[in-house]
Amino acid sequence: MANLNIDAQAQNTYDAIVIGSGISGGWAAKELTGKGLRTLVLERGRDVRHVTDYPTTMMQPWEFEHRGQLTREVKDANPIVSKCYAFYEGTQQFFVKDAEHPYIQEKPFDWIRGYQVGGKSLLWARQTQRWSDFDFQGPARDGYSVDWPIRYADLAPWYSYVERFAGITGNKDGIDTLPDGEFLPPHEWNCVEKHFQKAVAGKYKDRHVIMGRAAHITKPQPIHLQQGRAQCQHRTICERGCPFGGYFSSNASTIPWAAKTGKMTLRPNSVVHSIIYDEKKGRATGVRIVDANTKQMQEFYARIIFLNAAALNSNLVLLNSTSNRFPNGLGNDSGVLGKYVAFHNYRAGISAQFDGNLDSTTDGRRPNGPYIPRFRNVYKQETDFLRGYAAGFSAGRISRSNQDAIGADLKQNLLNPELGGWHVGSHMMGETIPKETNYVALDSSLKDPFGIPQLKIAIAYDDNDDKMVKDYQEQMTEMFTAAGFTNIRVRDDHRNPGLDIHEMGGARMGKDPKTSMLNKWNQLHAVKNVFVTDGACMTSTSTQNPSLTYMALTARAADYAVKAMKKGEV
Amino acid sequence: MAVAAGALISLPGWAKGWTAETVQLSHNFLSRSQDDLLADIVETIIPATDTPGAKALNVHQFIQKIVVDCYDPSAQDTFRKGLTTVDELAGKTFGKSFAEGNTTQRTTLLTQLSQSTDPAQKEFYSMVKGLTIRGYMNSEYVMTNLTHYQMIPGHYYGCVPVPTKAVSQTK
Ligand SMILES: Cc1cc2nc3c(=O)[nH]c(=O)nc-3n(C[C@H](O)[C@H](O)[C@H](O)COP(=O)(O)OP(=O)(O)OC[C@H]3O[C@@H](n4cnc5c(N)ncnc54)[C@H](O)[C@@H]3O)c2cc1C
Ligand code: SF4
């Protein structure tokens, strides 16, 4: 019997375990297997293989039963995820349905999730800007949250490293709030976007309108062809999964790359319950899972563990990993685990018309758009709110037809639409401030279908966010006016936190183990062989999209982990 | 691409929850005669000319699917009552069923509905007209033969001269 157990244990032992196969977990898998480690990737959802498991990717608009619209049944059953702009008839298979994975909203929070191999990397909008020193210095400057243990320089080479592999399109713009990267050719502007860019440059020295940086292969390099990926075809139906691998997803890129090493074991339908801590050894020895099909518990063992379940779920796993040594969650000597969660604020927007450039229009589609980097409170504190916001921007014309008539005239009108004028629009992407009162915790009684405590989420906007919304509306109105746009309308949709899908923090990085969970290598201060490199590790949120930074942090931490392991340090 | 097309035919088990098998139209939502009436209404709104009209493109069935599967019960009610109203009005105004009326009579009747002082009648008309336009414009026939939809444009050109011909006249 004893021998059998040892055999079973040996069979379930790997060099490394990665929890989650989304954007960050995919990178952990690629880096660890690439460095020769036998790596087990545990993913709670089902397998989704590139191309063959994208059921709607080749469907024509008329082939959808409801031509894309959600049914009442789906909407009624899913009031939360139905609010997400990307959730429609062609994409619903990649989103978590409300009832399947319950959580508790202590305050309203729309938690948007993708539980499958690839996680949310199948669904994301692919905006990928580097963070700058202004972002990593933010907390030290204004005293909110704690100081980051790293600076831009620590991450810069790793940004380059992941950008080259993922394939990022953009311009080198030479803007200090938004460092340049390793770019493929940029997407094209249209004339009204160019007009706005000039108008803004003419009026403000410190405000820029640039072409968005996005994870699309505009010109495949050998490294992309080796991954089996091809040039982006501008279909703009990316969220259904792209058969060309035109955008970066774990499914098209990192996971198959890791598989090719022969070192990866991918185990879908494996819901991680907790990380096992061995008090005698003073280290984590493995992971406990609930098999989603059999509901049986099982254990797997490894020298190092990468936790990449996406920000809030990584908090959940740590909180649920209790032992005598860590009664309040793994590595939680500081008591900050689950606290100081922050997010992005996309509440506000603005739209307008432009009466110029009526002799020109656009042709084709573009899976990206212009971007306005942060310009508020950069060099000095100039407003009554902390930090700042970035913004998306785009212009376009829509065809319209007179639909008043009926009969043959109507038909004639419909088939001969007239081009309307130019419409312009923008939305804000604001940084929120991490606060102790914005937290997640485990509910003491309610369990999920796998017997794991449900996550309780208490996250809200504050006065700083409201002031920022107002400032965005005022400043953009001023910029739109300067560009000669008319019929300007601002909005604040008062959406719930969460819908912006950039939740971060809870297991933040920091220099001091008394006030943070992770050190500068994303290692738990107190359990050196556990690394957390998804959004949970973020000390503050910046105004830029976060996922590229998760990729860079993951690659950097994996490099460190393997070296440390070889030196016998972890 | 053959691989992807193949995957569409045999959907994996998890995707079955969202296919025709489970999200089926409840067949007794409209009676046979109401179904015919709806077909005549959509055909009046977008008739056959040198190209097929809404009826031949099954727009009336698309409308029922949307109303049954996507609309809430009160909108469904407005829709069903509206159909009854159309037949009643046809009897009153031209002494025949809507189906038996000629194009002018049918058009006049629908125009009356659009201007009705009864909000339910107006709502019914705008619902049916909106859905007719949607079902027609994104039908396979129109998108492939008349508006030349392409899934893969392969490009984005930011500043091109406004075309002088509508898409439907370019081929
Ligand atoms: C519509 C949409 C638009 C977006 N746009 C952008 C954008 O433009 N730019 C940007 O930077 N970001 C964007 N995002 C956010 C981006 O998708 C996430 O930041 C990113 O996917 C996070 O990576 P991750 O590895 O932390 O998590 P995920 O990619 O979500 O992967 C986490 C994985 O862990 C698995 N998992 C969770 N819990 C467990 C467990 N207990 N056991 C085992 N496995 C588990 C999940 O099933 C999932 O597969 C967008 C997201 C959405 C949905
Ligand atoms: S726009 Fe590019 S990445 Fe998106 S679906 Fe099309 S080809 Fe794929």
Side-chain angles (χ1 to χ4, degrees):
Chain A
M1 272 324 272
N3 277 340
L4 266 180
N5 275 336
I6 290 166
D7 284 353
Q9 178 138 357
Q11 235 172 41
N12 286 356
T13 300
Y14 297 82
D15 298 326
I17 291 176
V18 175
I19 302 173
S21 63
I23 286 188
S24 63
W27 271 98
K30 170 185 171 297
E31 294 306 304
L32 297 172
T33 56
K35 292 174 195 301
L37 268 55
R38 286 174 52 250
T39 305
L40 173 68
V41 179
L42 295 169
E43 166 54 55
R44 68 179 301 154
R46 64 177 193 279
D47 198 5
V48 171
R49 268 154 307 155
H50 184 48
V51 186
T52 47
D53 288 334
Y54 304 155
T56 58
T57 190
M58 293 309 285
M59 279 171 74
Q60 305 289 344
W62 58 85
E63 289 175 320
F64 288 96
E65 218 185 335
H66 305 93
R67 310 268 159 100
Q69 191 171 347
L70 291 170
T71 64
R72 199 180 63 251
E73 194 178 292
V74 170
K75 269 190 168 162
D76 287 353
N78 296 284
I80 298 167
V81 63
S82 291
K83 291 184 202 167
C84 179
Y85 73 94
F87 183 73
Y88 65 93
E89 199 174 23
T91 60
Q92 42 193 346
Q93 68 277 5
F94 295 143
F95 283 90
V96 165
K97 309 303 173 303
D98 292 4
E100 290 166 12
H101 301 284
Y103 64 99
I104 297 152
Q105 301 184 52
E106 208 153 83
K107 293 173 184 162
F109 185 86
D110 295 332
W111 195 11
I112 308 298
R113 296 159 291 169
Y115 288 172
Q116 62 251 326
V117 168
K120 295 190 291 271
S121 76
L122 285 165
L123 295 167
W124 68 321
R126 311 160 307 278
Q127 292 291 307
T128 41
Q129 316 88 8
R130 292 185 180 200
W131 289 23
S132 79
D133 253 336
F134 296 102
D135 301 304
F136 291 106
Q137 283 165 0
R141 203 175 80 180
D142 58 36
Y144 265 83
S145 185
V146 295
D147 189 13
W148 278 86
I150 55 169
R151 288 293 182 263
Y152 174 67
D154 295 299
L155 221 47
W158 295 101
Y159 274 129
S160 294
Y161 179 79
V162 296
E163 281 164 349
R164 280 194 291 262
F165 190 82
I168 308 292
T169 158
N171 275 301
K172 292 208 188 266
D173 299 292
I175 296 170
D176 55 4
T177 50
L178 206 71
D180 288 331
E182 314 290 326
F183 296 137
L184 301 173
H187 281 121
E188 245 193 68
W189 297 81
N190 66 45
C191 12
V192 172
E193 291 163 353
K194 273 263 168 218
H195 162 81
F196 184 59
Q197 183 190 41
K198 279 201 201 96
V200 170
K203 188 170 160 81
Y204 311 89
K205 274 201 293 294
D206 58 342
R207 300 189 187 184
H208 309 275
V209 184
I210 64 168
M211 182 45 65
R213 298 165 180 184
H216 284 267
I217 299 183
T218 47
K219 187 168 178 228
Q221 302 301 306
I223 187 66
H224 306 127
L225 300 172
Q226 281 168 39
Q227 295 170 46
R229 297 170 59 197
Q231 182 155 344
C232 167
Q233 299 296 310
H234 293 237
R235 308 189 320 154
T236 63
I237 45 176
C238 314
E239 304 85 3
R240 298 194 212 159
C242 177
F244 308 96
Y247 70 97
F248 172 85
S249 68
S250 303
N251 313 64
S253 178
T254 46
I255 295 287
W257 192 267
K260 263 201 294 198
T261 63
K263 300 276 183 188
M264 180 180 74
T265 305
L266 176 63
R267 194 179 198 284
N269 302 309
S270 307
V271 184
V272 170
H273 170 281
S274 52
I275 296 171
I276 305 161
Y277 182 75
D278 185 317
E279 291 179 25
K280 283 198 214 91
K281 292 182 180 152
R283 52 188 284 127
T285 50
V287 164
R288 212 170 274 124
I289 68 147
V290 179
D291 185 299
N293 296 322
T294 63
K295 301 272 162 91
Q296 294 295 310
M297 275 236 189
Q298 217 174 319
E299 292 184 354
F300 296 95
Y301 310 97
R303 276 281 294 281
I304 53 172
I305 294 162
F306 267 69
L307 179 53
N308 295 93
L312 300 189
N313 272 317
S314 287
N315 275 283
L316 194 163
V317 170
L318 289 174
L319 286 163
N320 203 38
S321 304
T322 51
S323 54
N324 286 328
R325 166 69 182 84
F326 295 110
N328 303 314
L330 190 68
N332 190 14
D333 290 335
S334 60
V336 298
L337 177 60
K339 298 173 183 169
Y340 300 98
V341 174
F343 57 102
H344 280 159
N345 174 3
Y346 278 50
R347 255 165 55 189
I350 179 167
S351 59
Q353 281 162 230
F354 183 59
D355 300 329
N357 287 109
L358 289 175
D359 54 348
S360 58
T361 185
T362 62
D363 182 18
R365 290 189 286 270
R366 184 185 60 194
N368 186 14
Y371 179 82
I372 304 168
R374 170 179 170 190
F375 53 83
R376 274 310 210 193
N377 302 326
V378 176
Y379 305 103
K380 58 178 196 301
Q381 180 65 38
E382 61 199 0
T383 68
D384 63 347
F385 57 86
L386 295 173
R387 319 272 171 92
Y389 49 83
F393 173 78
S394 70
R397 296 181 81 170
I398 311 169
S399 291
R400 272 189 301 232
S401 49
N402 183 343
Q403 305 189 348
D404 293 343
I406 173 170
D409 288 349
L410 173 64
K411 191 175 180 185
Q412 179 72 13
N413 291 348
L414 289 173
L415 295 175
N416 296 284
E418 279 165 27
L419 204 52
W422 289 90
H423 283 266
V424 293
S426 162
H427 66 275
M428 85 179 284
M429 312 183 216
E431 172 167 7
T432 71
I433 304 297
K435 292 173 297 184
E436 193 171 5
T437 48
N438 278 350
Y439 68 89
V440 297
L442 299 185
D443 192 81
S444 51
S445 53
L446 288 170
K447 299 267 164 73
D448 75 3
F450 306 97
I452 297 169
Q454 287 189 26
L455 197 66
K456 197 162 66 176
I457 304 178
I459 294 172
Y461 293 110
D462 62 16
D463 189 41
N464 201 64
D465 302 316
D466 294 338
K467 285 179 183 160
M468 206 186 275
V469 163
K470 195 162 156 274
D471 189 68
Y472 164 86
Q473 292 175 334
E474 287 167 3
Q475 297 307 311
M476 289 303 294
T477 300
E478 193 180 291
M479 288 153 75
F480 272 30
T481 306
F485 298 159
T486 56
N487 197 13
I488 298 172
R489 290 159 205 256
V490 294
R491 65 174 183 276
D492 174 356
D493 65 15
H494 294 283
R495 60 176 62 187
N496 292 334
L499 200 53
D500 322 290
I501 332 180
H502 295 170
E503 52 273 5
M504 287 174 248
R508 67 184 179 191
M509 295 169 78
K511 292 171 185 151
D512 185 353
K514 290 200 195 68
T515 56
S516 64
M517 292 287 295
L518 303 166
N519 69 12
K520 64 176 175 177
W521 301 109
N522 295 76
Q523 240 172 337
L524 280 177
H525 285 296
V527 189
K528 292 281 194 269
N529 65 332
V530 175
F531 294 79
V532 184
T533 65
D534 60 18
C537 78
M538 306 302 268
T539 309
S540 64
T541 70
S542 163
T543 60
Q544 281 90 293
N545 294 70
S547 307
L548 184 71
T549 301
Y550 305 162
M551 297 190 212
L553 284 170
T554 306
R556 177 176 174 271
D559 183 65
Y560 173 81
V562 175
K563 283 181 183 145
M565 193 174 133
K566 289 192 174 143
K567 282 190 259 173
E569 289 167 10
V570 299
Chain B
M1 246 29 339
V3 192
L8 293 179
I9 296 157
S10 59
L11 285 176
W14 52 263
K16 289 255 159 62
W18 311 103
T19 62
E21 283 105 76
T22 49
V23 195
Q24 263 192 2
L25 180 63
S26 68
H27 286 290
N28 42 15
F29 178 68
L30 289 189
S31 67
R32 188 62 208 268
S33 64
Q34 280 177 317
D35 184 61
D36 290 343
L37 171 60
L38 184 60
D40 289 334
I41 294 174
V42 302
E43 185 66 12
T44 308
I45 296 173
I46 303 181
T49 50
D50 54 344
T51 55
K55 181 177 172 176
L57 300 178
N58 271 332
V59 169
H60 55 299
Q61 266 149 28
F62 162 75
I63 292 179
Q64 284 174 67
K65 187 164 266 303
I66 294 288
V67 170
V68 173
D69 292 351
C70 303
Y71 284 23
D72 61 34
S74 82
Q76 293 178 351
D77 213 39
T78 308
F79 179 76
R80 238 193 266 106
K81 284 196 184 125
L83 286 173
T84 315
T85 310
V86 169
D87 248 350
E88 280 168 14
L89 278 180
K92 263 191 231 151
T93 52
F94 49 88
K96 292 184 215 158
S97 71
F98 188 80
E100 288 161 342
N102 61 32
T103 308
T104 318
Q105 288 168 326
R106 291 181 186 186
T107 308
T108 313
L109 190 151
L110 291 185
T111 308
Q112 266 173 29
L113 275 190
S114 75
Q115 295 158 354
S116 170
T117 47
D118 179 349
Q121 289 185 9
K122 255 186 130 142
E123 194 188 320
F124 166 77
Y125 179 74
S126 70
M127 187 193 301
V128 172
K129 185 169 178 182
L131 285 171
T132 303
I133 293 172
R134 212 169 108 202
Y136 173 78
M137 289 305 283
N138 58 26
S139 65
E140 179 170 5
Y141 178 86
V142 171
M143 289 191 92
T144 48
N145 299 300
L146 306 180
T147 54
H148 309 300
Y149 169 79
Q150 287 176 325
M151 181 181 255
I152 297 179
H155 64 265
Y156 178 80
Y157 304 129
C159 292
V160 299
V162 172
T164 46
K165 280 182 181 172
V167 232
S168 58
Q169 297 168 329
T170 54
K171 286 204 180 131

